[in-house]
Structures are given as structure tokens and as C-alpha cells.
Amino acid sequence: MCTLWFSITTLSAVRSYVGGEGLWSKSQKNAILNLREYGYTYDEKNYEAFKEFLKVPFGDKIARIEMSKSNPDLVKVRKGFLQGRNHPDDIDNMIGLTRRFSKVYYLNKAFVAWQKAEPVLDELLEIGERLHVLIESRNIDKEKITVLLYEIERLNTELTTLEDDFSYTLGEGARWLEGMVLRLVLALSITIGTTSILIAVSINRSIKKGLDVIVDGAELVKKGELETRVEVFANDEIGRVATAFNEMIATLEHKVVESKVTEAKLVTERQRAQSSERAKHVFLINMSHEIRTPMNGIQGFANYIRGSLTDKEHLEAIEMIIKSADHLMRILNDILDFSGLGNGEVDFIKQPLKVRDVIKDACLYVESNAKLKKIALSYSIGAKVPDIFIGDSIRLSQIFVNLVSNAIKFTENGTVVISADIIDENKENVVIEFRVKDTGIGIPAEKQQKIFELFEQGASSTSRKFGGVGLGLSMVKRLVELQNGKIFLESTPDKGSEFYFRMPFLKISDAEKRNGISEESDSENESGKGIKVLIVEDNPINQLLVIKVLQKRGYETTIAQNGKIAIEKYKNEDFDIVLMDLQMPEMDGYEAAKYIRRMDPEKASIPIVAMTAHTIQGELEKCLAIGMNDYVSKPFSPDELNVKIQLLVGNKQVKC
């Protein structure tokens, strides 16, 4: 009877540990599922459920740590197991089994696997708290949340492995206990006779049968066969263990199915987002082309007419037309840049630039507005600032124009001052600090960080009084940061604001300076005489504009209305260069360029320059990939077009 009592209580304790392991596994899986859902839905209920489910493994942790002591506090142990949702009737058996067999290899191995999972759960709790802080913050950083979700998946994988080790070790322990019980029953059968032997063998067979199916089931689950269910032979302790095992696997299988459903939903959402992004890209391409095509004619002819006017009043009128067109182009460029800045999809061109020219051009751009408001506009450059260094002059100019335009817009009277000075340098780089200071309306302290966010302004009345939608400063901040810089703000309401940013630039050698200067001076005197240009353009206004601009410099021009006509003309006549529009009827510029590159070597080598209103990122690379030599965006600069033609064709002697 004592042996039977010992065996039953021991197996009951094993069953309790198996059930507790099931509860532990179920709770941590539920905790991870709710934390993952919290990272996607931001629903506070998921976070509270996550913390609630973690109470189970942390309760078991309290019990295990206390039981590892030489003189454990059993009251504390019971509270820990109760927090772990173990049945109150099973706790004493679990304590007894631990105290009797804690030094046995198999149980000790199980406790070690149990202990290894605890730091992982601690790390999971810490990640949950970090995720909670990110979601509760004003500005949700989705990239950091994504990183934490990957960390959650990693911890889930580690916990699953530890669960497998723990389950397998419990199986080993059960087999060891089975063998021990068998040996005890065998020893007792020798001493008390055949009847005892028969009873012991019968009990042993019953226990072995139940344990075998549980162990076999655990092995199948370990291999990933979650549809496994073990047979319940009786409503005894082993049967209860088998029932608990089946319930645990059913719950795990259900959670796996839920996880797959969630994953399928995420894939669908990702595909939907990608489709939306593609539609936005196509829309921006079309908008860019449709707006830039007429703007090319407006700006081009306005600049062309300006060169022939002498009447002051007429010159002022044409200047206003040019500035209005420039303003529209700036708005268009801001919208297109905004579409790429969010993902960091901006190409920065590294070439020699003169900081004085960049600042001077920004001042000239806003000079008329400053004069109209009678605001003094000035700039100063530190003596140690290099005359020339390597950087992106277009993006730097874009930053200055936004900052200086804002300063003038929000200044009723007083001054706007621009300055530049060195704050750090080494052999290769120089860090320059640029400042734009005004005496305008200022920005309240609580708005100074928010002012850099999209569509934000200093006050609700600001947009009504001064206009604008709040894109400029957010774009400036992004452009500065993408070039490894930082932007700052100091402002006092009714006294003025000072925006300043620091950016690193590459130093330029003396040889590069000389080359840059000589190329610039040479380009001013280049002539187009003797150079035959085939202009492939379907828009009549743009045709006329390009002809006038090129003929004014001495180029010989021929027009083709589409790619098909251009190929026929090129077959019958020789040209030195082709200016190719991309979007045309009959045959577009892409197909025409590919056709020319497949012609005889003598014909196929002609330089081709894309002239297009398409300015979306990647268009230059696409043109170069099909064999074009260069790219000019509309509206184009006559000087830029002339330089590109001269570089590709080279100076030619006038034919007699």
C-alpha cells in the first residue's frame, strides 16, 4: 500500500507538472500573441492581456526560486504555484516531488530548462514595456516598433525551443519514474508473494500503457504534428494527464491557426499598401509630366523674350511672369520631393559648389518679396569657410530658399540675416553651420518641435494670415538629416526666430578647383555652329522653344514629331546629336532610342539626350539603361542644355 501510495502521489505530481507546463506554455504563447497584436493594433486591451498572461510563468518562477533554497518558505512556494494557475490540490504533490527528487538527473535537467526560459520572459517583459512606451508617445516610430516585433518573434522561437526541451525532459523523467516504480514493485513482489506480484504487474502495465501513449504523443508534437491526440484509457491520474495533454495540444493548435490567419491578413495588407504605393508613383509621374510640359513653354519663352526687351516696364512684367512660374515649379518640386523624402528615396549629387553663390541665389530668389515688405536682407560668410567644397548645391539651395522665404513671410518689419561659419574640420571634411535669423512673429516654446512636422504651423491663424500648408520646414529637416546634418531652432514670440543647421561637406583639392573653374569658364564661350541637332518633340510650343534657344547659339535644328518620324529622318540624314522627348504618340522616346542603338555601328553611336517632364526618381537610371547618354528635365535651362550638348558632341569647326 505504501508503494502504491508513493507511486500514485509521484505520478500525480508528474501529472501536475505536465499540466503546469501546459499552463505555462499556453500563457506565454497567449502573452506573445497579445503583445504582437498590440504592436499592430495599438489597442491597450492587448497590452493589459499580455501582462495578465505573464503572471502565470512569473508565479512559477517565484515558486522555483524559493524551492531551490535549502530551507524554502512553503507558503511563498504555494502562492507562486497558485499565481501560476496550478490546481490547489496538486501543489503539495508538486512540492513533495521537487523535494524528494530535485537532485535526480532528469528532474534537475527539467528545472535547468525551466530556469533558462526565465531570462527570456524577463526580456519579453522589457520589450513589452518599451513597445508600450513607443505606442504611448506622441510620435509613433513605426520603424522601432517593427524592430521590437522582430525581437518578439525571436523570443517566441527561443521559448518554443525551451518548451520542447522541458516537455522532452519531463518525458524522460516519467520514464525514469516508471522504471523506478517497476523495480520497487518487483522487489516487493519477491518478498510478499505471487499475489503482490500480480497486483504490481497489473498496476505497472496500466501505468506504463498510459505513460507510453503520453510520451509517444509528446514525441509526435515535438516533430510538429499538432493534430496528435493521445488515447485516454481511464479516468485515473494517468488519464487526467492524458486529458490535460490533449487539451494543451488543442489549445496550441488553435493558437497556431490564429497565428496563420493573422499572418495572412498582414500579407494582404502589405500587398494593398504596395499597390497603393505603385498607384501613387504612377500618379506623380503623370502629374509631373502634365505640369512641366506647359511650364517649360512658359518659362522658356519668358526667358527668351526677356533677352530682347529694353523697356523697363516690360522687363518688370516679364520678370514677374518668370518669378511666378518659378514659384509654381517650386511648389511642384516640393510635392514631388515630399513623395520621396518619407522613405529616404532622395539622390544627392556630390559635385563642387560655391557656398557664396548658393546663398546669393537664395537671396535673389526672395529679394523682390523682401523689398516689397521693406525688410533688410543680408548675408555674411566666415573667413575660414572654403570658397568651394563638395556637396549637393541644388538641395542646399532648396533648404536656404525654404528657410529664407519663411523668414520673410513671417517678418512684418526689420531684418533677415543669413550667415555661414565653420564649427569643425579635419583632413577630409568640414562641418559648416548655417543660420537664418529674422525679427518676425516668433514661435511659442510648445510649438518649436512640432513646427517641423508635416502640415504644421506655429498657430491655427498662421496659415490664414500668411498662407502655406506646412510642408517647407518638414522637408528642410528631412533634407538636412538625410545628409547627416542636424537642424535647430531658437525663437521668442514677437521678437523673432533663428533657424540654424549643421552639415558635413567634403573638402576639394586645388586641382579639382582649377578643373571646375576652367570648365565653367569654357562653357560660357562655347558655340553651336556646325552642329546638327535632331529635336524629337510632339508639343508645338516646346518645339518652337527648343528651336529658338538652339538657333540663337548657332545650332542647326530639325524637328520630328514622334519617334517613328525621327527614325526615318535619321536614316536619310546625318545628325550630331538627338534631343529625345520620352512621352510621344506613335512611338515614344524609349522605343526610338532602343531602335537607334540597334542600327549600324556608325549610326548607333550618336549621342542621345532625354528631354522630358518626367522627374521621378529613377528616370535618369532608366534612360541610361536603354542607351541614352544624358538627361535634361523640363523646364530646362538653356545654359545647361548647351553645356550638355557641347560635352557630348565637342567643339566642331564651321563647315565651309
Side-chain angles (χ1 to χ4, degrees), residues 124-189:
L124 179 64
L125 179 61
E126 179 187 355
I127 289 176
E129 292 172 350
R130 288 164 56 193
L131 181 62
H132 182 61
V133 170
L134 283 175
I135 293 175
E136 288 295 304
S137 65
R138 291 184 179 179
N139 300 322
I140 295 178
D141 191 334
K142 292 186 177 180
E143 293 182 356
K144 291 184 178 179
I145 289 176
T146 301
V147 172
L148 292 180
L149 288 173
Y150 284 140
E151 288 297 307
I152 292 169
E153 290 299 327
R154 176 181 63 78
L155 295 178
N156 184 33
T157 302
E158 292 183 20
L159 286 171
T160 301
T161 303
L162 293 172
E163 289 168 18
D164 289 342
D165 292 342
F166 189 51
S167 298
Y168 183 79
T169 305
L170 283 179
E172 288 182 322
R175 286 192 292 272
W176 173 80
L177 287 172
E178 174 193 346
M180 183 183 67
V181 171
L182 179 61
R183 287 191 294 273
L184 288 174
V185 173
L186 184 61
L188 287 173
S189 67

Side-chain angles (χ1 to χ4, degrees), residues 341-489:
L341 281 172
N343 299 321
E345 298 176 353
V346 180
D347 292 327
F348 292 99
I349 302 172
K350 302 298 182 182
Q351 61 185 12
L353 68 86
K354 294 182 178 180
V355 66
R356 184 176 297 276
D357 290 347
V358 173
I359 295 176
K360 183 179 178 181
D361 289 344
C363 291
L364 289 174
Y365 184 85
V366 299
E367 186 178 26
S368 60
N369 291 336
K371 288 181 178 179
L372 187 64
K373 299 180 73 173
K374 297 181 180 180
I375 295 170
L377 178 63
S378 62
Y379 67 88
S380 64
I381 299 175
K384 294 184 179 180
V385 176
D387 292 332
I388 304 177
F389 47 77
I390 300 295
D392 191 326
S393 60
I394 295 175
R395 296 300 179 183
L396 184 58
S397 177
Q398 189 176 2
I399 293 169
F400 270 117
V401 168
N402 271 289
L403 292 179
V404 178
S405 296
N406 269 0
I408 293 174
K409 181 194 296 185
F410 297 111
T411 301
E412 295 296 334
N413 53 70
T415 60
V416 173
V417 179
I418 306 168
S419 63
D421 212 339
I422 287 182
I423 60 170
D424 191 20
E425 69 174 314
N426 53 39
K427 292 182 179 180
E428 298 179 351
N429 299 293
V430 57
V431 179
I432 300 179
E433 180 179 270
F434 302 95
R435 290 179 174 265
V436 178
K437 185 176 182 179
D438 63 63
T439 58
I441 62 174
I443 303 168
E446 65 273 11
K447 289 283 188 179
Q448 290 184 13
Q449 288 303 317
K450 201 173 183 182
I451 200 74
F452 290 103
E453 298 177 9
L454 292 176
F455 311 115
E456 288 290 344
Q457 293 192 337
S460 59
S461 60
T462 302
S463 61
R464 293 194 297 270
K465 183 176 180 181
F466 296 99
V469 295
L471 271 179
L473 287 179
S474 63
M475 291 180 58
V476 166
K477 182 175 186 292
R478 196 74 178 115
L479 285 171
V480 170
E481 291 177 346
L482 286 174
Q483 297 179 86
N484 301 315
K486 290 184 179 180
I487 188 166
F488 308 90
L489 167 62

Side-chain angles (χ1 to χ4, degrees), residues 302-322:
N303 280 294
Y304 180 80
I305 293 172
R306 179 175 58 180
S308 61
L309 292 178
T310 57
D311 184 79
K312 183 178 180 182
E313 189 173 323
H314 290 172
L315 280 171
E316 288 179 353
I318 203 71
E319 287 289 348
M320 291 304 296
I321 293 174
I322 292 172

Side-chain angles (χ1 to χ4, degrees), residues 237-380:
E237 297 295 332
I238 300 299
R240 290 170 64 186
V241 171
T243 301
F245 178 87
N246 288 338
E247 291 175 352
M248 178 187 71
I249 300 305
T251 301
L252 182 60
E253 185 179 19
H254 178 68
K255 294 301 180 184
V256 170
V257 171
E258 287 183 346
S259 176
K260 289 182 179 179
V261 171
T262 302
E263 184 179 355
K265 289 181 180 178
L266 290 174
V267 171
T268 301
E269 290 300 322
R270 189 184 306 114
Q271 291 173 346
R272 187 178 301 168
Q274 290 172 347
S275 176
S276 175
E277 189 66 25
R278 286 193 296 270
K280 183 185 78 171
H281 185 74
V282 172
F283 172 76
L284 288 172
I285 289 176
N286 291 333
M287 285 296 295
S288 173
H289 182 272
E290 294 303 321
I291 295 175
R292 285 178 178 273
T293 297
M295 285 303 299
N296 182 52
I298 294 171
Q299 284 188 307
F301 277 109
N303 280 294
Y304 180 80
I305 293 172
R306 179 175 58 180
S308 61
L309 292 178
T310 57
D311 184 79
K312 183 178 180 182
E313 189 173 323
H314 290 172
L315 280 171
E316 288 179 353
I318 203 71
E319 287 289 348
M320 291 304 296
I321 293 174
I322 292 172
K323 286 188 179 293
S324 297
D326 288 342
H327 181 67
L328 285 174
M329 286 306 302
R330 181 186 167 201
I331 293 174
L332 174 63
N333 290 333
D334 282 351
I335 294 171
L336 296 176
D337 286 342
F338 170 67
S339 68
L341 281 172
N343 299 321
E345 298 176 353
V346 180
D347 292 327
F348 292 99
I349 302 172
K350 302 298 182 182
Q351 61 185 12
L353 68 86
K354 294 182 178 180
V355 66
R356 184 176 297 276
D357 290 347
V358 173
I359 295 176
K360 183 179 178 181
D361 289 344
C363 291
L364 289 174
Y365 184 85
V366 299
E367 186 178 26
S368 60
N369 291 336
K371 288 181 178 179
L372 187 64
K373 299 180 73 173
K374 297 181 180 180
I375 295 170
L377 178 63
S378 62
Y379 67 88
S380 64

Side-chain angles (χ1 to χ4, degrees), residues 16-34:
S16 300
Y17 267 108
V18 172
E21 192 273 340
L23 288 170
W24 184 90
S25 175
K26 177 181 177 182
S27 296
Q28 69 89 8
K29 287 293 183 184
N30 285 335
I32 289 176
L33 179 62
N34 277 278

